Amino acid sequence: MQLALYRAAKADPGRRFHALRDKVFRRDVLWRAWVAVRRNNGVPGIDRTTLGQIEEYGVARLLDEVAVELQQGRYPPLPTRRVFIPKPGTAERRPLSIPAVRDRVVQAAVKIVLEPIFEADMLSCSFGFRPKRSAHDALQVLIDESWRGRRWVVETDIANCFSAIPHDKLMQAVQERVCVTRPS
């Protein structure tokens, strides 16, 4: 599925994708999402439900329930738990929002479906927060370019980047590539 979405997006940069909602609640997608969430070994959200408690309850049972709620358009995400963590090298603390485990599974499923579409639009010189790309890959590009005689590197860091992004404009950009429909 991901490869098909990637290829379609790469082949037609102007294409707007429809009917993606049904892919999010596919059992194989939700299972892969669970595996990604479990691998992260995160802490509980506002409901205080742990990964272990989900496993005791039954992962397949939870995923079946989530799939039905998503399919019927009645999935209720919970508020996130807000904590403040230290910023490295300073006395400042930055906010961190922690979703409930089941919300993280749904978010991971949405990522599985949407990522190949938007990944197809990315430039090869972009490395941040991308699949199969790391800081080591970016460093290798710098080394290669240095050997080719390049001598300038520009790095930018936008303060409070995620909170500074205008949400309405971001959603408008997403809707240019993906049809965002509300379940009926």
Side-chain angles (χ1 to χ4, degrees), residues 16-72:
R16 188 162 183 236
F17 287 80
H18 299 267
L20 295 174
R21 212 175 128 262
D22 64 321
K23 290 168 181 44
V24 173
F25 53 78
R26 279 178 29 175
R27 296 312 195 273
D28 60 325
V29 171
L30 287 171
W31 189 259
R32 275 189 56 203
W34 163 256
V35 169
V37 168
R38 185 65 183 102
R39 190 176 336 124
N40 265 352
N41 206 24
V43 298
I46 199 164
D47 64 353
R48 300 287 182 197
T49 303
T50 66
L51 295 165
Q53 288 170 318
I54 298 282
E55 290 168 336
E56 286 175 25
Y57 180 77
V59 174
R61 181 177 167 192
L62 174 85
L63 297 181
D64 286 344
E65 291 170 3
V66 167
V68 168
E69 289 176 11
L70 287 168
Q71 190 170 12
Q72 295 176 351

